[in-house]
């Protein structure tokens, strides 16, 4: 049985193609600087958005018309697995990601939830055996059920802390079983609404303890996936503890966890934090903490996490610039933590959306590689910081100066000359590269 009978394997047809079921720029086998596009981009599909999402919003019911909608319970979970693997193969994406509750329904007890998971995990494992699909990461949904009203590891209820630990323990076992390359911790409701009723110190200490126990358990069972924290500044809570990469990195260092974690950086979370996507990628990269990416984009006119498919070429280019400068994503990938709009409710839209995202990152990859090859940004940055390559600047970066010496230098100066930042010139050049990359 086929869930998408009208769609065949999506392949590359080039920039002139008007076939909506074809890639125009993503050519998986094309070599870019020694690696294929597929190897660079390591695309992944988010199970929750593509196979579980009903496309509801706070004011309206779900609109999604899905070929598996006729099923319920475990039959629905199984139908979704069948549909998912058909989709992965047709769209030619090598990885997927899921939360525990995305793949199997919660039972009336934790034991029953485990049993449901075991059935579906066995089915997924079976599907993975003779296909090319791999698990980029899995995670625990410790935020949707009402028990998580006060958080999970940072809940005011110790029983919820324990329950959350049990779900992560099971998640690590599943990750090991399916060969996950990473395991993700997104803070969910790890944060608070009001300081008036919150023991901030206890909550953060508990979060630190929780992560240590997760690291210990992974070691115990030989799960070798990379642990990733996914920062987000707000939503659902007003103050999320993993606000952004800088805050998360300080947290990890404070609790002695910095060697066990990297970051999973989501574009829309970056912009919610008042940063650009590339800022978060850069911050993680320069600290050797860039692990993986949730590829999406926000709506600058809305103040929440809209999880749109990435189509902004400027953003994909600057993101790929950071990823290439990082030497790639290692065990990470570009996971489309993105959903079709509520008005794009047909199953075909799932294909169109992923094609749009994959083509946008393929363009970003090619343009970023050309910018790097021509040292476009490096030339501007080098000349802007020239003053640190000679004279007093060189002494400063070598650590050879103190305030006495610097004061003496300052007193000897006439009027200080500064240089233009040239931002408009740089942006114009990036536009030229964007337009010329496929000319
Ligand atoms: C929520 C979000 C999550 C994480 C995984 O904003 O991004 O879907 O990626 O829990
Ligand atoms: Co995400």
């Amino acid at each position: 049985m086929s869930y998408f009978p009208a769609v065949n394997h999506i392949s590359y047809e080039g920039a002139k193609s008007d076939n909506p079921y074809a890639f125009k720029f993503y050519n998986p086998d094309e070599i870019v600087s020694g690696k294929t596009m597929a190897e660079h981009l390591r695309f992944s599909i988010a199970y929750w958005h593509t196979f579980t999402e009903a496309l509801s919003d706070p004011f309206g019911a779900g609109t999604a018309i899905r070929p598996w909608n006729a099923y319920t319970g475990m039959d629905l979970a199984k139908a979704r697995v069948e549909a998912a693997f058909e989709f992965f193969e047709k769209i030619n994406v090598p990885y997927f990601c899921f939360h525990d509750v995305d793949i199997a329904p919660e039972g009336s007890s934790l034991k029953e939830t485990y049993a449901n998971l075991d059935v579906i995990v066995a089915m997924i494992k079976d599907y993975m055996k003779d296909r090319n699909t791999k698990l980029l990461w899995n995670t625990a949904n410790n935020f949707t059920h009402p028990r998580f009203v006060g958080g999970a590891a940072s809940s005011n209820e110790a029983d919820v802390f324990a329950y959350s630990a049990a779900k992560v323990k099971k998640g690590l076992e599943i990750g090991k079983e399916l060969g996950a390359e990473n395991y993700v911790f997104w803070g969910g409701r790890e944060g608070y609404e009001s300081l008036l009723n919150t023991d901030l110190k206890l909550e953060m200490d508990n979060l630190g303890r929780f992560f240590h126990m997760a690291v210990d358990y992974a070691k115990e069972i030989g799960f070798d996936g990379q642990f990733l924290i996914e920062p987000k500044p707000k939503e659902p809570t007003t103050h999320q503890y993993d606000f952004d990469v800088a805050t998360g990195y300080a947290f990890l260092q404070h609790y002695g966890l910095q060697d066990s974690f990297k970051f999973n950086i989501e574009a829309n979370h970056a912009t919610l934090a008042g940063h650009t996507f590339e800022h978060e990628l850069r911050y993680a990269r320069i600290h050797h903490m860039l692990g993986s990416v949730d590829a999406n984009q926000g709506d600058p006119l809305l103040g929440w996490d809209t999880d749109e498919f990435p189509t902004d070429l400027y953003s994909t280019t600057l993101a790929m610039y950071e990823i290439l400068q990082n030497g790639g994503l290692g065990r990470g990938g570009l996971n489309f933590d993105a959903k079709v709009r509520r008005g794009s409710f047909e199953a075909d839209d799932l294909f169109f959306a992923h094609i749009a995202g994959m083509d946008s990152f393929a363009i970003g990859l090619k343009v970023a590689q050309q910018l790097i090859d021509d040292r476009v940004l490096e030339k501007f940055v080098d000349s802007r910081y020239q003053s640190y390559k000679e004279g007093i600047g060189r002494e400063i970066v070598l650590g050879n100066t103190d305030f006495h010496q610097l004061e003496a230098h300052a007193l000897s100066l006439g009027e200080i000359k500064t240089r233009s930042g040239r931002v408009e010139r740089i942006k114009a050049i990036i536009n030229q590269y964007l337009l010329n990359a496929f000319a």
Side-chain angles (χ1 to χ4, degrees), residues 129-400:
K129 231 182 0 222
D130 39 56
R131 287 177 178 76
N132 296 324
T133 308
K134 289 162 291 212
L135 183 58
L136 187 67
W137 50 261
N138 62 312
T139 185
N141 177 326
N142 284 349
F143 44 87
T144 297
H145 191 281
R147 75 176 71 85
F148 301 114
V149 61
S154 67
S155 171
N156 53 304
E157 304 289 351
D159 284 350
V160 176
F161 185 101
Y163 198 97
S164 307
K167 286 190 77 197
V168 170
K169 176 176 176 290
K170 182 72 177 168
L172 294 171
E173 290 158 12
I174 291 171
K176 180 170 168 163
E177 179 77 6
L178 298 179
E181 310 242 354
N182 307 270
Y183 187 86
V184 161
F185 295 86
W186 168 58
R189 292 179 195 275
E190 311 293 27
Y192 68 90
E193 258 154 25
S194 171
L195 207 46
L196 299 174
N197 64 3
T198 299
D199 187 338
L200 188 69
K201 170 111 174 61
L202 177 68
E203 289 202 2
M204 294 193 70
D205 286 350
N206 278 350
L207 202 51
R209 286 187 255 271
F210 190 92
F211 286 141
H212 271 292
M213 288 188 260
V215 170
D216 290 346
Y217 188 66
K219 265 194 206 123
E220 186 185 321
I221 63 169
F223 172 68
D224 62 358
Q226 172 67 52
F227 275 13
L228 300 170
I229 286 194
E230 182 177 325
K232 185 177 184 181
K234 54 189 162 195
E235 197 198 12
T237 72
T238 319
H239 308 269
Q240 297 274 131
Y241 292 134
D242 307 320
F243 188 95
D244 60 1
V245 174
T247 310
Y249 190 44
F251 174 91
L252 291 174
Q253 289 179 96
H254 180 74
Y255 290 99
L257 289 157
Q258 68 275 18
D259 297 334
S260 306
F261 284 80
K262 287 187 175 178
F263 290 100
N264 180 40
I265 293 167
E266 177 163 329
N268 205 164
H269 296 179
T271 50
L272 280 178
H275 301 307
T276 58
F277 185 19
E278 57 273 19
H279 166 91
E280 287 291 83
L281 293 167
R282 175 76 62 93
Y283 204 97
R285 164 166 85 80
I286 61 174
H287 293 100
H288 310 291
M289 296 295 278
L290 175 51
S292 198
V293 170
D294 269 6
N296 63 13
Q297 68 185 32
D299 185 332
L301 303 180
L302 299 173
W304 61 91
D305 195 10
T306 58
D307 284 342
E308 296 178 19
F309 274 84
T311 51
D312 176 342
L313 302 183
Y314 217 85
S315 171
T316 59
T317 298
L318 296 184
M320 285 314 301
Y321 175 86
E322 296 303 327
I323 290 167
L324 288 168
Q325 295 288 26
N326 194 57
L329 285 170
R331 316 187 67 157
L334 293 174
N335 172 49
F336 290 115
D337 190 351
K339 59 183 171 201
V340 289
R341 298 304 84 196
R342 187 164 178 264
S344 308
F345 43 75
E346 293 180 356
D348 276 1
D349 292 304
L350 297 174
F351 286 95
F352 301 151
H354 283 89
I355 290 170
M358 292 163 79
D359 273 341
S360 299
F361 267 93
I363 294 170
L365 165 65
K366 278 188 97 162
V367 177
Q369 186 61 55
Q370 287 172 18
L371 288 168
I372 290 169
D373 288 346
D374 296 348
R375 300 193 73 252
V376 172
L377 301 181
E378 287 69 20
K379 280 186 209 154
F380 280 100
V381 172
D382 277 358
S383 88
R384 188 153 181 259
Y385 292 85
Q386 183 59 33
S387 70
Y388 286 95
K389 301 207 177 79
E390 60 213 7
I392 191 72
R394 199 173 135 75
E395 297 305 315
I396 292 171
V397 295
L398 289 173
N400 291 338

Side-chain angles (χ1 to χ4, degrees), residues 87-102:
F87 189 83
F88 301 151
E89 209 156 295
K90 287 190 165 167
I91 194 81
N92 196 15
V93 162
Y95 288 100
F96 71 117
C97 299
F98 62 81
H99 302 82
D100 43 12
V101 305
D102 304 333

